[in-house]
Amino acid sequence: MDAAVVSGSAVGGSAAADGDGARERVFVLRLRDRPGTLELVAATFAHRGVSLHMTLANGSQGDPEGLATVLVAFRAAPARTAALRAALGRLSRVV
């Protein structure tokens, strides 16, 4: 999954960190295109107290591996970002 995730990118506005080091982040995920997959991703963020600012997804049509690509934007400190990356990496639907 590490190759499929980009984190630390600025998303609109100022990329300045808050007092806790929180910054705008972007993850680009490759997912198995199954019902409920996006809900699993959103729940992973919600259970860690992180709101998604934006999601952008495409279906798996035309992808030779049958995978969808989902971009999620959020604001989090480095430690929480690392925890999210680890949790998403444990999901069987995230490639």
Side-chain angles (χ1 to χ4, degrees):
M1 177 182 115
D2 286 335
V5 176
V6 177
S7 66
S9 301
V11 179
S14 170
D18 290 338
D20 65 353
R23 293 181 172 270
E24 292 291 332
R25 312 281 182 173
V26 174
F27 281 176
V28 178
L29 307 169
R30 297 282 288 157
L31 307 171
R32 289 184 176 82
D33 196 0
R34 304 277 188 274
T37 299
L38 190 55
E39 187 276 331
L40 289 172
V41 170
T44 300
F45 282 82
H47 292 160
R48 285 154 186 82
V50 176
S51 294
L52 294 175
H53 296 175
M54 177 183 65
T55 60
L56 178 64
N58 74 339
S60 60
Q61 297 82 3
D63 185 273
E65 298 177 48
L67 300 174
T69 301
V70 176
L71 178 143
V72 292
F74 59 98
R75 186 171 190 84
R80 190 157 298 183
T81 301
L84 284 163
R85 180 189 301 269
L88 290 167
R90 289 189 297 269
L91 295 177
S92 64
R93 294 183 188 183
V94 177
V95 177

